[in-house]
Amino acid sequence: MPNDRFYKTAEWEALRLKRLRKDKYVCQECGSKCYGRKRGGISPNVDHIIPRKVMPNRAMDIENLRTLCQPCHSRLTISDMHGKNKPQIGNDGYPLPES
């Protein structure tokens, strides 16, 4: 969301970097290394597993974030928009493991 102020805050930038480092800049969907264009690679995205609009209280929860390459992020975003890829959420508010 290029115009969303949330993604321009210092708090988000710090948490985003922490998630990227935790995932070692590897896409959690396809396994591609996402070192960015400056290093000749795919640009990384940090994605909310449960979207902010669904659970705003999890927006800054590092366990609700994952590193995705740009192609996977685009594909999952389109799937989410069409309701095909909604995570199952447990009573504790965390996603259930995929079966």
Side-chain angles (χ1 to χ4, degrees):
M1 311 280 177
N3 296 322
D4 191 334
R5 292 181 190 194
F6 173 83
Y7 295 109
K8 294 179 170 83
T9 64
E11 294 82 10
W12 168 252
E13 285 296 325
L15 185 62
R16 178 183 183 278
L17 184 58
K18 190 173 181 180
R19 182 78 251 181
L20 288 170
R21 288 178 176 159
K22 187 172 183 173
D23 290 339
K24 299 180 181 169
Y25 290 82
V26 172
C27 176
Q28 300 302 293
E29 190 69 17
C30 73
S32 295
K33 293 189 181 200
C34 305
Y35 293 127
R37 292 183 194 152
K38 288 182 182 179
R39 293 182 65 193
I42 300 168
S43 295
N45 285 269
V46 174
D47 177 61
H48 286 90
I49 298 166
I50 301 171
R52 286 175 41 225
K53 65 184 174 187
V54 175
M55 291 193 92
N57 60 319
R58 303 271 322 269
M60 295 296 288
D61 178 355
I62 196 165
E63 298 305 321
N64 187 43
L65 302 174
R66 62 184 167 187
T67 299
L68 295 175
C69 65
Q70 183 60 50
C72 285
H73 187 257
S74 295
R75 181 176 48 78
L76 289 171
T77 299
I78 290 168
S79 292
D80 286 347
M81 288 171 41
H82 296 305
K84 296 177 184 169
N85 202 29
K86 295 190 183 206
Q88 297 294 321
I89 301 171
N91 292 333
D92 60 358
Y94 285 85
L96 296 172
E98 293 183 22
S99 45

